[in-house]
Amino acid sequence: MSAESWLNRIWYERPAPPWWLIPLSLAYGAVCGSRQFLYARGLRRPVSLPRPVIVVGNLTVGGTGKTPLVCWLASRLAERGFAPGIVTRGYGGSLRGVRLATAAYDPAVVGDEPILLARRTGVPVAVGRDRPAAAQLLLEAGCDVIVSDDGLQHYALSRDCEIVVIDGDRRFGNGWLLPAGPLREKRTRLASADVVVVNGGRALLDGAFSMRLEARSAVALDGSRTRPLPAFAGLEVHAVAGIGHPERFFNTLRAHGIEVIGHALPDHARLTPKDVDFPDSRPVLMTEKDAVKCAHAADERHWYVPVSAYFEGGESTTLLDIVSGRIAGRATPRGTLDG
C-alpha cells in the first residue's frame, strides 16, 4: 500500500487518527496559525497586483473539483467581456522559474494541470511556484483578471475574491489538520471565503453553491474521434486515474453503465507506458489530466474523458454576479484574511 493510500484510509475511513500523528497535526496548525497572524497583522505584506485576483482553492489535500471550476470560471468571465488569465503552481513539473505555458508544453516540465487548463480554456496560463511573479506574466500578456488555480493558503499573493471548493462525498474527512487529517486549514477558514462551492451532493452550508461534474463523451488520445460515453455501456474497460480522488472518476464511468477495472495512481503521477498499456484489447479510459502525460503511449484503445462543471438553476449566474461584484470593487481591495 502506498503512503497516499494509507493516509487516505486514516483520513476518510477511520473515526480518529493514530495518536502519534496528533502532535504533528498540532505543530502543523501552529505553523499555519502563525503565518495567518503575520499577514493579518501586517507584519508580512502580500503582493498586491494592479488587477483583481480570484483564488479557487480548497481546505483539504487532494482533488475537490477546483480545476474544472477554474475552467468554467475563466470561460464565463471571458463571455462577460473580461480577459482572464490563469496562474497555477505546476505540480509535478520540474520548472523552477515562471513561464507562460501552452497546450504544447512538456508536462514533465510544467506539470499536467497547466496543459489541461490551456487546452480547455484558450486563455493565457502562467506556471510557477512564485505566484505573484507568474501572475505578473499574465498582466504583461494583457489579462485584466487573474484566476488562481489553488493557492488559497498562498498568502503572499493578495486576492479580491476567494472561492472554496468542498468535496461533497468526502467532505472534511476526520476533521483533523495535516498529517493526522486532510485539512490544510481549520474549517473556520470558510467564514472568510466569498463563495463556498460543494462538488457533488447538496450544499453543506447555508449559502453554499451546489456544483456537479458531468462527463458526456470520450475523446481518442490522438484527437481523431469522439464517442458518447453511453457507447461504452456494458463493456469492461480499464480506467486510469492519477487524481486526488480516483474513485470519483470510476463512479462517473459506472453511472454510464460501464464495467470498470480501476487503476488508481497517486495524484499528479508521472505516467509511463506500462501504466496505460494492458495485455488485452479492452478500451482504456483515463482522466483528461492523465491524458496530457501519455499521448506517446496512445493507440486505438486509449481515450480520455473530459468533465465539465455545472450548477443548478440560476446558481451559476448568482456566483458570477458575486465574482463580478468583487472585481468591480477592486478600487477598495479586501485584506488577505479579513472577510
Side-chain angles (χ1 to χ4, degrees), residues 12-272:
Y12 297 108
E13 298 178 16
R14 293 179 54 170
W19 67 266
W20 50 270
L21 283 178
I22 293 176
L24 299 177
S25 180
L26 295 175
Y28 174 87
V31 172
C32 290
S34 64
R35 289 182 64 249
Q36 292 176 356
F37 177 84
L38 291 173
Y39 280 105
R41 295 295 182 269
L43 300 176
R44 294 184 69 175
R45 295 285 184 181
V47 175
S48 183
L49 299 178
R51 296 293 186 177
V53 175
I54 304 162
V55 172
V56 181
N58 51 18
L59 294 187
T60 57
V61 173
T64 58
K66 60 180 172 18
T67 297
L69 179 56
V70 167
C71 292
W72 178 90
L73 182 59
S75 297
R76 296 305 180 275
L77 288 173
E79 290 173 0
R80 289 197 171 196
F82 295 102
I86 300 172
V87 62
T88 182
R89 184 184 184 281
Y91 290 100
S94 61
L95 181 67
R96 291 294 178 265
V98 294
R99 181 181 300 182
L100 288 176
T102 69
Y105 266 75
D106 183 353
V109 176
V110 298
D112 45 35
E113 286 176 345
I115 298 174
L116 184 157
L117 291 165
R119 182 164 66 184
R120 287 292 296 272
T121 67
V123 307
V125 177
V127 186
R129 298 181 181 181
D130 185 340
R131 289 179 187 268
Q136 185 62 42
L137 294 181
L138 297 176
L139 299 180
E140 295 169 2
C143 298
D144 57 15
V145 179
I146 308 301
V147 180
S148 178
D149 182 11
D150 207 359
L152 186 68
Q153 292 78 32
H154 191 83
Y155 295 121
L157 178 61
S158 185
R159 68 285 309 267
D160 302 274
C161 182
E162 291 183 337
I163 301 174
V164 178
V165 188
I166 299 171
D167 185 327
D169 295 325
R170 301 198 298 179
R171 303 188 182 185
F172 305 105
N174 61 16
W176 282 86
L177 291 170
L178 289 167
L183 289 177
R184 297 173 174 180
E185 294 182 283
K186 294 180 179 179
R187 289 180 57 177
T188 52
R189 179 68 169 81
L190 291 174
S192 63
D194 298 280
V195 176
V196 177
V197 174
V198 179
N199 175 21
R202 296 305 304 170
L204 305 173
L205 303 169
D206 291 340
F209 294 83
S210 295
M211 181 182 78
R212 69 184 187 278
L213 300 181
E214 288 191 1
R216 299 178 177 178
S217 61
V219 182
L221 251 66
D222 62 7
S224 63
R225 60 201 190 280
T226 300
R227 290 179 66 182
L229 271 184
F232 293 89
L235 296 180
E236 196 171 52
V237 309
H238 294 285
V240 177
I243 57 178
H245 188 8
E247 198 62 29
R248 180 190 290 123
F249 177 65
F250 302 154
N251 287 336
T252 296
L253 300 182
R254 293 181 183 118
H256 288 272
I258 301 171
E259 300 290 333
V260 171
I261 303 173
H263 303 273
L265 301 172
D267 196 13
H268 300 288
R270 292 190 178 185
L271 274 68
T272 64

Side-chain angles (χ1 to χ4, degrees), residues 273-325:
K274 68 180 180 61
D275 292 317
V276 296
D277 187 16
F278 303 99
D280 55 52
S281 59
R282 294 183 179 91
V284 181
L285 273 58
M286 65 189 71
T287 71
E288 187 173 10
K289 190 170 77 169
D290 294 313
V292 304
K293 296 176 287 190
C294 58
H296 58 283
D299 58 36
E300 68 279 357
R301 297 172 297 165
H302 294 87
W303 306 78
Y304 71 87
V305 181
V307 297
S308 298
Y310 294 90
F311 291 88
E312 301 293 339
E315 286 195 340
S316 61
T317 301
T318 304
L319 193 160
L320 282 171
D321 286 344
I322 293 173
V323 172
S324 297

